[in-house]
């Protein structure tokens, strides 16, 4: 594995040389929002950045600074939350892509740690296809359902992951000093009939902020999940680099 090339710590000359050698950059994007009483606000940032670093170690890609804010409307009334409008997230992604493309990046990989950013990534990528001669790929926990079935004991809350066994396990593997398992809980709130069809939000449903069972989390599970996600993402990054698609 190679040393991670972190753009924020490099000089202009070092960045130029890195891109000439391997014109691929990775942009981690996350969010600043509540994750229960046992996890920090920066979970989605730490996970996106941690996964991105491991991908860079194995591919030689340039690591861009992580975007710390995302679309977090559902938690907007909880202290600490910072929420960007969805079209602003899309615009930032596009601005980053245009910026790095100007000096030679041929492929931009977006690694997302926050589910609500997925729509912004999707539409930004579509628009960039018509604007730039550059590959743009967006990734969010590939094969999530099968990975959870293999490595986790609990089920999701209607397919959603948030401060649950999966995220807590990944944090125990990457940032254990920021996890307080004595405060971890299990909560599966009732799903209102109008959820997803109205303005009813996640912030109104869970008392703890947990959706799932955080008590079952462990570092061992997190390390297995992390390795599985990274391995799959590296395959995807390599396939883009080799095939130009």
């Amino acid at each position: 594995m190679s040393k991670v090339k972190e753009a924020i710590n490099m000089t202009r000359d070092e960045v130029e040389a890195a891109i000439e050698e391997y014109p691929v950059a990775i942009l981690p994007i996350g969010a600043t929002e509540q994750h229960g009483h046992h996890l920090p606000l920066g979970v989605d940032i730490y996970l996106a950045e941690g996964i991105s670093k491991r991908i860079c170690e194995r591919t030689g890609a340039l690591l861009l600074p992580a975007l710390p804010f995302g679309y977090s409307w559902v938690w907007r009334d909880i202290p600490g939350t910072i929420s960007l409008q969805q079209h602003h997230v899309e615009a930032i992604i596009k601005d980053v892509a245009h910026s790095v493309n100007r000096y030679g990046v041929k492929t931009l990989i977006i690694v997302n740690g926050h589910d609500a950013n997925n729509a912004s990534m999707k539409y930004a990528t579509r628009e960039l296809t018509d604007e730039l001669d550059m590959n743009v790929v967006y990734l969010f926990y590939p094969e999530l359902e099968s990975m959870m079935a293999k490595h986790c004991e609990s089920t999701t809350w209607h397919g959603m992951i948030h401060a649950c066994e999966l995220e807590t396990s990944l944090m125990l593997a990457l940032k254990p000093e920021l996890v307080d398992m004595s405060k971890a809980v299990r909560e599966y709130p009732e799903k209102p009939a109008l959820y997803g069809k109205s303005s009813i939000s996640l912030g109104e449903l869970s008392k703890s902020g947990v959706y799932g069972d955080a008590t079952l989390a462990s570092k061992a599970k997190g390390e297995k999940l992390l390795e599985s996600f990274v391995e799959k993402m590296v395959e995807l990054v390599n396939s883009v680099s080799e095939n130009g698609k």
Side-chain angles (χ1 to χ4, degrees):
M1 293 187 184
S2 61
K3 180 181 178 181
V4 177
K5 300 171 184 175
E6 298 187 58
I8 198 169
N9 295 326
M10 299 165 69
T11 66
R12 56 182 287 179
D13 303 311
E14 290 170 333
V15 170
E16 182 177 16
I19 292 172
E20 286 180 357
E21 180 181 351
Y22 188 65
V24 178
I26 295 182
L27 172 66
I29 66 173
T32 299
E33 61 178 31
Q34 80 82 31
H35 278 78
H37 299 287
H38 67 297
L39 293 174
L41 297 173
V43 165
D44 296 340
I45 306 166
Y46 291 129
L47 298 186
E49 191 171 52
I51 289 172
S52 296
K53 284 183 177 180
R54 295 198 179 195
I55 296 172
C56 289
E57 284 178 344
R58 301 186 190 189
T59 63
L62 179 71
L63 180 65
L64 301 175
L67 176 62
F69 307 126
Y71 180 66
S72 299
W73 182 86
V74 297
W75 312 115
R76 66 197 185 284
D77 294 323
I78 297 178
T81 300
I82 304 292
S83 182
L84 302 183
Q85 294 180 47
Q86 186 168 315
H87 66 279
H88 287 170
V89 178
E90 181 180 334
I92 291 171
I93 291 171
K94 289 185 61 179
D95 283 348
V96 171
H98 277 271
S99 295
V100 299
N101 181 249
R102 289 185 67 87
Y103 45 82
V105 171
K106 300 300 183 184
T107 299
L108 177 65
I109 309 293
I110 308 166
V111 175
N112 181 32
H114 176 55
D115 187 34
N117 288 335
N118 285 331
S120 297
M121 293 195 302
K122 175 181 177 180
Y123 295 116
T125 299
R126 287 182 176 182
E127 292 181 17
L128 287 165
T129 297
D130 297 329
E131 298 171 4
L132 295 176
D133 182 19
M134 180 172 71
N135 299 310
V136 182
V137 177
Y138 53 97
L139 304 175
F140 178 72
Y141 299 125
E143 301 180 5
L144 179 59
E145 290 186 9
S146 63
M147 295 298 183
M148 286 198 69
K150 182 177 181 180
H151 299 297
C152 295
E153 299 174 69
S154 62
T155 58
T156 64
W157 184 82
H158 303 284
M160 190 188 81
I161 56 169
H162 191 78
C164 54
E165 181 182 3
L166 180 135
E167 284 196 321
T168 305
S169 293
L170 288 172
M171 281 295 289
L172 286 170
L174 287 169
K175 290 284 184 179
E177 70 277 11
L178 298 179
V179 182
D180 186 350
M181 287 301 291
S182 70
K183 296 180 180 178
V185 299
R186 177 187 187 276
E187 185 173 0
Y188 287 87
E190 183 179 348
K191 183 181 180 183
L194 288 175
Y195 177 76
K197 305 174 182 66
S198 68
S199 61
I200 295 173
S201 73
L202 296 174
E204 302 171 38
L205 305 180
S206 172
K207 294 179 180 179
S208 66
V210 171
Y211 284 80
D213 192 346
T215 68
L216 295 175
S218 72
K219 182 177 181 179
K221 291 176 184 175
E223 289 174 343
K224 291 177 182 178
L225 286 162
L226 186 61
E227 176 58 28
S228 297
F229 289 136
V230 170
E231 183 177 4
K232 184 60 180 179
M233 289 184 182
V234 167
E235 289 177 6
L236 294 171
V237 172
N238 286 336
S239 70
V240 175
S241 304
E242 293 168 2
N243 300 324
K245 297 181 181 179

